[in-house]
Amino acid sequence: MGIGHTRWATHGEPVDRNAHPHPSGDGRLALVHNGIIENYGPLKKELMSRGHVFDSDTDTEVLVHLLEDILKNEAVDLLEAVRLALTQVVGAYAIVVVDRDNPDHLIAARKGSPLVIGVGEDKGEYFIGSDASPIIEHTRNVIYINDFEIAEIANGELLIKTVDNEIKTPYVEHLELQLEMLEKAGYDHFMLKEIYEQPRSIRDSMRGRIYPKEGFMQLGGLKEYDEKLRHAQRIIIVACGTSWHAGLVGEYLIEEFARVPVGVEYASEFRYRNPIISEKDIVIAISQSGETADTIAAIELAKERGATILGICNVVGSTIPRMTDAGVYTHAGPEIGVVSTKAFTAQVTVLTLMALHMAHLRGKMAQTKFVELLNVLENIPKLVEETLGCDEATKYIAEEIKDATNAIFLGRGIGFPVALEGALKLKEISYIHAEGYPAAEMKHGPIALIDENMPVVVIATRNSSYEKVISNIQEVKARKGRIIAIVTKGDTAVKALADYTIEIPDADEAFLPLLATIPLQLLAYHTALLRGCNVDQPRNLAKSVTVE
Ligand code: AGP
């Protein structure tokens, strides 16, 4: 039996002294923890007044000393000590504790942070992790631990109960996840593999949902909520990071197709703002991992206020799908690279499906237009395949911008969220400071940043704002900015202005994000590689942000 943990620093620097597991003062217990103990300050003070000495700056160490204290002062066993300690703790946790004096005992517990137990083939064999991906090479039979549950493994037996002492029957789920889905399949990095998986992941996100030949579509997961969607008066999307950018694309599409007002909220702001939410509202929570703490908290708030909560998520069995009323899985497959790529285009695909579904339900789109868009959508994976052909071009341009310290990304209309996403990708893995802006916003300030050292990436494909974007490019050119333009195949006007162009196939404006994002993902990837950065695990970032 062993425990280990790759810590994400919240309290105290990422140094050995703060690394996990943390031992108790008497060395009997050892504990690992994912989450934040918010009231660790007063607990630590209390324990220090009782003679406890701390070696680290972490909140986690306070928890193991609290357990030690309870075991010393109460005649209880470790399971009961953990239960008592957790009734005193405020915050989020997934913890595992082992006991030197009972080497075949292990206790795990969860509130807020994810926890999964894998049931091994051999009797008494168990694997515990934050999600299923580290477990499936050993077993695909897993138990998802719920909030306020404690699991005890002793003498090969598993017991699960709540902090209120209620015994729970473990529910074992068999996962479809295959090990090879978690391997690089010959690519140098997970990020590159996941970029090249997008034709398949977009196709899988539509599979069994659109029937262009028969002229209809279905979203089985939302069936029971069709009436709510038909009469929706307002939609609020909550998400973080790349999922928030997907939400912005969803706003354009749902308002355009279904004519319902949509608001897109940063979940981390939404949860602390006193938002006006009622039971008439539909809240859509978007999350790749399904474990993002801020998005979970935003859902809890919206739920308290009676809203209907729909989810768009990529990880089956994760927390968000289990707390929403209904939802749609993105079927992008496991996304291992910290920077989200295929999950973004899968989220945009699902949002496009939801917008078309609502337009149809609400009679806001002629059947001919509806079927036409279903046909275009069905063909998108092929166009994405074609777009991946720009890989070499992005590698060449990356060579040109790798020494930049700043970059600006510009887009208009539905191209604006794409610009934001492109900037985020470059920031996350190459550490070049990059900002995305609505192209017309430039002259209200950011244009002051433009000079011959500033790479300016512009989404300039042929669509409703094409002419406007050309004049924005001329504004940048007049100030010697270096223009990298994403253009529609065969474009000449922008080509004449830009320093570098990357061509993508022509498609209906509504589907631009599914194509134009690809070259931006590749540009970030190659730039980061040329700068010697770790593209799969960039500094300071976690794949799933399970702490506030
Ligand atoms: C994107 O590349 C980042 N990994 C990050 O911004 C991410 O999108 C954000 O943390 C939200 O994660 P989620 O989709 O799993 O909720």
Side-chain angles (χ1 to χ4, degrees):
M1 186 183 288
I3 62 173
H5 178 48
T6 306
R7 171 178 179 251
W8 197 65
T10 57
H11 297 75
E13 292 174 67
V15 291
D16 289 0
R17 200 161 49 77
N18 294 327
H20 293 210
H22 282 284
S24 54
D26 58 6
R28 172 183 163 184
L29 307 175
L31 180 143
V32 293
H33 165 226
N34 171 25
I36 293 180
I37 307 295
E38 287 167 20
N39 64 334
Y40 84 105
L43 286 173
K44 187 171 185 173
K45 211 147 145 261
E46 174 64 24
L47 289 164
M48 286 171 83
S49 70
R50 288 216 283 270
H52 286 262
V53 179
F54 292 87
D55 300 328
S56 79
D57 317 316
T58 67
D59 52 331
T60 303
E61 192 187 7
V62 174
L63 194 47
V64 72
H65 277 258
L66 180 59
L67 288 176
E68 176 191 354
D69 200 69
I70 293 170
L71 283 170
K72 281 221 170 73
N73 301 309
E74 320 268 344
V76 295
D77 64 8
L78 183 59
L79 176 59
E80 184 56 11
V82 169
R83 195 183 71 76
L84 292 173
L86 296 180
T87 56
Q88 298 177 43
V89 156
V90 178
Y93 56 78
I95 60 169
V96 183
V97 197
V98 292
D99 178 358
R100 182 196 56 210
D101 299 358
N102 296 291
D104 56 10
H105 254 70
L106 177 150
I107 309 279
R110 133 180 219 173
K111 177 189 164 271
S113 304
L115 194 67
V116 181
I117 297 182
V119 183
E121 263 110 50
D122 304 345
K123 178 153 178 21
E125 185 184 47
Y126 296 98
F127 306 86
I128 297 176
S130 294
D131 73 12
S133 42
I135 292 174
I136 64 153
E137 73 182 278
H138 305 290
T139 174
R140 283 195 274 137
N141 299 320
V142 301
I143 302 164
Y144 288 96
I145 302 298
N146 296 307
D147 275 355
F148 303 107
E149 286 184 358
I150 306 173
E152 179 194 47
I153 295 173
N155 313 322
E157 298 300 329
L158 171 66
L159 166 80
I160 298 179
K161 67 177 189 178
T162 67
V163 285
D164 307 324
N165 257 333
E166 189 200 332
I167 303 292
K168 289 284 194 176
T169 314
Y171 171 60
V172 181
E173 296 181 46
H174 184 73
L175 296 179
E176 294 314 321
L177 216 47
Q178 305 293 336
L179 191 55
E180 49 281 1
M181 294 162 99
L182 297 173
E183 286 159 351
K184 288 189 191 133
Y187 288 89
D188 293 344
H189 301 97
F190 282 110
M191 181 182 178
L192 189 63
K193 175 196 173 205
E194 287 153 8
I195 290 174
Y196 273 84
E197 278 184 329
Q198 291 178 101
R200 183 217 31 92
S201 53
I202 292 172
R203 197 175 292 117
D204 286 355
S205 299
M206 298 193 258
R207 193 186 304 286
R209 292 169 173 170
I210 62 169
Y211 300 87
K213 294 189 192 50
E214 296 80 4
F216 81 97
M217 66 169 290
Q218 62 186 14
L219 290 173
L222 299 183
K223 197 123 205 60
E224 278 167 49
Y225 289 82
D226 275 355
E227 275 323 292
K228 280 236 175 210
L229 291 169
R230 196 191 305 279
H231 304 295
Q233 285 162 27
R234 181 172 72 145
I235 291 193
I236 296 151
I237 296 177
V238 291
C240 302
T242 283
S243 297
W244 184 77
H245 294 152
L248 289 176
V249 176
E251 176 182 31
Y252 281 88
L253 295 171
I254 294 171
E255 292 193 345
E256 175 65 26
F257 292 161
R259 310 307 293 148
V260 182
V262 177
V264 185
E265 303 276 352
Y266 277 120
S268 53
E269 285 298 314
F270 181 82
R271 61 178 296 186
Y272 287 113
R273 207 180 78 233
N274 183 11
I276 300 157
I277 300 276
S278 77
E279 61 290 340
K280 289 205 199 77
D281 292 322
I282 294 179
V283 168
I284 300 177
I286 308 175
S287 175
Q288 186 288 127
S289 62
E291 299 295 354
T292 301
D294 286 320
T295 308
I296 290 171
I299 294 171
E300 278 157 357
L301 177 66
K303 237 183 173 162
E304 266 162 38
R305 305 204 173 169
T308 299
I309 318 289
L310 305 180
I312 296 178
C313 189
N314 194 46
V315 179
V316 176
S318 60
T319 302
I320 289 178
R322 287 189 285 133
M323 61 191 305
T324 51
D325 299 310
V328 185
Y329 279 116
T330 45
H331 300 311
E335 189 174 66
I336 308 295
V338 166
V339 285
S340 188
T341 52
K342 63 176 182 175
F344 173 71
T345 49
Q347 287 164 349
V348 168
T349 304
V350 166
L351 284 158
T352 309
L353 293 177
M354 286 176 81
L356 289 170
H357 181 57
M358 289 178 70
H360 200 60
L361 280 176
R362 301 163 69 86
K364 294 292 179 194
M365 185 181 281
Q367 181 65 12
T368 43
K369 175 78 180 170
F370 179 68
V371 174
E372 179 206 319
L373 289 176
L374 289 185
N375 278 298
V376 177
L377 192 53
E378 190 179 46
N379 189 43
I380 287 288
K382 259 207 231 76
L383 298 183
V384 170
E385 201 85 63
E386 202 184 317
T387 306
L388 287 164
C390 73
D391 198 344
E392 278 311 309
T394 58
K395 208 186 271 182
Y396 170 75
I397 297 169
E399 194 60 60
E400 300 298 309
I401 67 166
K402 69 178 187 321
D403 302 321
T405 47
N406 297 285
I408 288 184
F409 288 69
L410 301 177
R412 288 184 83 125
I414 202 165
F416 167 48
V418 177
L420 289 173
E421 181 57 10
L424 179 63
K425 295 298 99 155
L426 193 67
K427 271 185 272 207
E428 285 187 282
I429 54 174
S430 76
Y431 316 142
I432 293 174
H433 173 233
E435 292 303 329
Y437 279 100
E441 215 21 54
M442 283 285 290
K443 46 190 179 294
H444 303 290
I447 199 162
L449 298 169
I450 305 292
D451 61 17
E452 61 282 0
N453 305 315
M454 179 65 82
V456 180
V457 180
V458 189
I459 316 298
T461 50
R462 247 198 314 278
N463 58 38
S464 57
S465 54
Y466 182 63
E467 300 306 330
K468 301 284 180 212
V469 170
I470 287 188
S471 44
N472 297 132
I473 290 176
Q474 282 158 336
E475 288 160 9
V476 172
K477 196 152 182 66
R479 287 140 185 100
K480 302 195 173 33
R482 283 194 290 156
I483 297 162
I484 298 146
I486 311 295
V487 299
T488 305
K489 199 162 249 142
D491 179 286
T492 52
V494 176
K495 245 191 186 145
L497 291 168
D499 301 276
Y500 313 97
T501 52
I502 301 168
E503 293 194 328
I504 63 172
D506 195 7
D508 186 290
E509 185 167 355
F511 305 124
L512 169 70
L514 291 171
L515 301 178
T517 311
I518 312 278
L520 304 184
Q521 295 166 344
L522 287 165
L523 184 63
Y525 172 77
H526 289 300
T527 307
L529 274 193
L530 289 168
R531 290 163 67 95
C533 302
N534 181 335
V535 293
D536 278 344
Q537 284 176 319
R539 70 186 186 200
N540 304 342
L541 290 178
K543 179 63 189 168
S544 177
V545 183
T546 55
V547 290
E548 198 190 316

